[in-house]
Amino acid sequence: MLLVAPAAYVALVLILRLSGKRTLSKLNAFDFIVTIAIGSTLASVITTRSLSLLEGITALGLLVGLQYLVTATSVRWKGFHRAVTAEPTVLLRNGAPLVAAMKRQRITADELEAAVRQAGGRVLQDADVVILETDGSLTGVLRSI
């Protein structure tokens, strides 16, 4: 384990550097799942005696390669992009919460208020829109004065 763990770690860092910044970005559920799978694979390489270092590095490379293929395809074909990523959802418009959208996305009024405050507003009516982004974050856009 003292030899395999550092070797697997170095291999993973090199694979991630070669694959680009997008591989571990916080963009959508698919990216999150791949990030978890990479971590799980690395843990298996380190802790499973029956799994060779070469097999583990191959598995890590395969996961990162598949992520690269999916994201490259997503950039080129809009239909594929829609299939693997969620659409942003408007949760508040013109200072008024869109209750049905909030229920569908499981967002509370407190979370909307926090997004408005983070954008620099004080109350919901200060916001033009609050959007639930594809990565799960909330973006508040204040009304123009």
Side-chain angles (χ1 to χ4, degrees):
M1 187 182 294
L2 291 176
L3 296 174
V4 171
Y9 177 79
V10 168
L12 179 59
V13 169
L14 291 173
I15 290 168
L16 293 175
R17 289 291 295 148
L18 290 172
S19 68
K21 296 176 188 173
R22 173 69 203 275
T23 303
L24 293 179
S25 62
K26 186 181 100 171
L27 291 178
N28 58 50
F30 180 78
D31 296 324
F32 177 72
I33 290 166
V34 171
T35 301
I36 297 298
I38 288 169
S40 176
T41 302
L42 180 63
S44 293
V45 170
I46 293 169
T47 60
T48 306
R49 291 178 190 244
S50 63
L51 182 64
S52 75
L53 179 60
L54 183 59
E55 290 172 325
I57 291 171
T58 302
L60 290 168
L62 181 61
L63 281 172
V64 171
L66 288 170
Q67 170 71 351
Y68 183 87
L69 181 66
V70 167
T71 55
T73 304
S74 178
V75 167
R76 287 167 181 74
W77 289 303
K78 195 175 261 191
F80 187 78
H81 175 75
R82 281 193 295 268
V84 297
T85 60
E87 292 291 319
T89 303
V90 176
L91 301 172
L92 176 140
R93 181 173 280 120
N94 298 323
L98 303 175
V99 177
M102 289 172 60
K103 283 183 182 178
R104 206 171 35 255
Q105 300 301 327
R106 300 179 316 277
I107 300 294
T108 66
D110 289 341
E111 291 169 310
L112 280 186
E113 291 167 359
V116 171
R117 286 191 304 273
Q118 193 169 19
R122 293 185 344 204
V123 293
L124 292 180
Q125 292 73 22
D126 292 341
D128 188 32
V129 295
V130 173
I131 301 168
L132 177 62
E133 302 291 356
T134 60
D135 67 359
S137 64
L138 291 172
T139 301
V141 179
L142 298 181
R143 294 178 187 233
S144 312
I145 297 174

